[in-house]
Amino acid sequence: MDKNNVQQITFGGGCFWCVESCFNMLKGVESAISGYSGGHKDNPTYEEVCTGETGHAEVVQITYDSSIISYEQLMDVFFFLHDPTQLNRQGNDIGTQYRSVIYYRDEAEKIKAEEAIKTSQESGRWSGIYVTELSPFEKFWSAEQYHQGYYNENPTQPYCSAVVGPKIQKFKKHYGELGMLELN
């Protein structure tokens, strides 16, 4: 990875197990780390975030090489993986910690995020009004180690079998056809 092209992006699109697993398969992504952002408590734990009282969202922080994969391509994947019209939920996962959110690092990134939202809305992929929150990036706290690569370690766990696995298969089919996945 060319260090001159290394960028980071942080966003939340529901359960971080689903989002992290998919982004870690993309060419140009160095890492996708599950964690928490957007709240008022330092060093939150999963149990605290699940109460909805810390203000944090479950997020994924992605480190990528912008000469291999663009911000716009990452945004396309982001809007593919979750329904940005669902307020404070994704499917049966309900609460502010599951909100659709993009944390931007500067004004230029905010403008690109606004453009990505507009492009996705105009695509008609999701019907309804987008509720994706745009917020300035402040801090990222990595989730506990057992959350990192959770699906890969626990594919038969009931939630993984019912929710994460099917989402990953749909993702692999779509983005594999576009040639965006790492071949392992």
Side-chain angles (χ1 to χ4, degrees), residues 12 28 36 116 125 170 177:
Y36 317 106
R125 179 180 285 161
K170 180 180 169 186
E177 290 172 358

Side-chain angles (χ1 to χ4, degrees), residues 4 12-13 17 22 28 51 66 72 74 84 111 115 118 129 133 144 182:
N4 293 322
W17 296 343
C22 293
T51 68
S66 61
E72 291 77 14
L74 293 169
I111 291 167
E115 289 171 1
K118 183 179 180 209
I129 298 169
E133 172 187 317
E144 295 81 350
E182 290 286 348

Side-chain angles (χ1 to χ4, degrees), residues 55-182:
H56 291 286
E58 285 192 15
V59 299
V60 175
Q61 183 159 280
I62 297 165
T63 302
Y64 67 101
D65 183 332
S66 61
S67 70
I68 299 171
I69 189 166
S70 69
Y71 181 90
E72 291 77 14
Q73 288 171 310
L74 293 169
M75 284 287 100
D76 184 67
V77 173
F78 171 68
F79 287 116
F80 180 85
L81 291 175
H82 82 292
D83 182 346
T85 69
Q86 292 187 339
L87 182 62
N88 298 328
R89 70 178 298 163
Q90 284 300 300
N92 291 328
D93 294 330
I94 300 171
T96 57
Q97 68 271 28
Y98 299 113
R99 67 189 177 270
S100 176
V101 59
I102 301 169
Y103 293 101
Y104 58 87
R105 286 171 167 70
D106 57 31
E107 194 61 29
E109 196 171 276
K110 179 182 180 186
I111 291 167
K112 288 180 9 181
E114 290 169 340
E115 289 171 1
I117 291 169
K118 183 179 180 209
T119 298
S120 183
Q121 284 177 314
E122 290 173 351
S123 77
R125 179 180 285 161
W126 300 101
S127 62
I129 298 169
Y130 278 44
V131 294
T132 302
E133 172 187 317
L134 281 176
S135 294
F137 177 81
E138 293 179 11
K139 182 78 175 158
F140 170 80
W141 285 274
S142 182
E144 295 81 350
Q145 187 56 42
Y146 72 92
H147 287 295
Q148 309 306 327
Y150 189 85
Y151 176 78
N152 292 340
E153 298 296 321
N154 304 280
T156 60
Q157 188 262 10
Y159 182 87
C160 289
S161 295
V163 178
V164 184
K167 188 174 280 197
I168 289 173
Q169 292 311 311
K170 180 180 169 186
F171 165 80
K172 283 181 174 180
K173 181 176 182 345
H174 182 76
Y175 287 96
E177 290 172 358
L178 296 177
M180 292 176 63
L181 301 182
E182 290 286 348

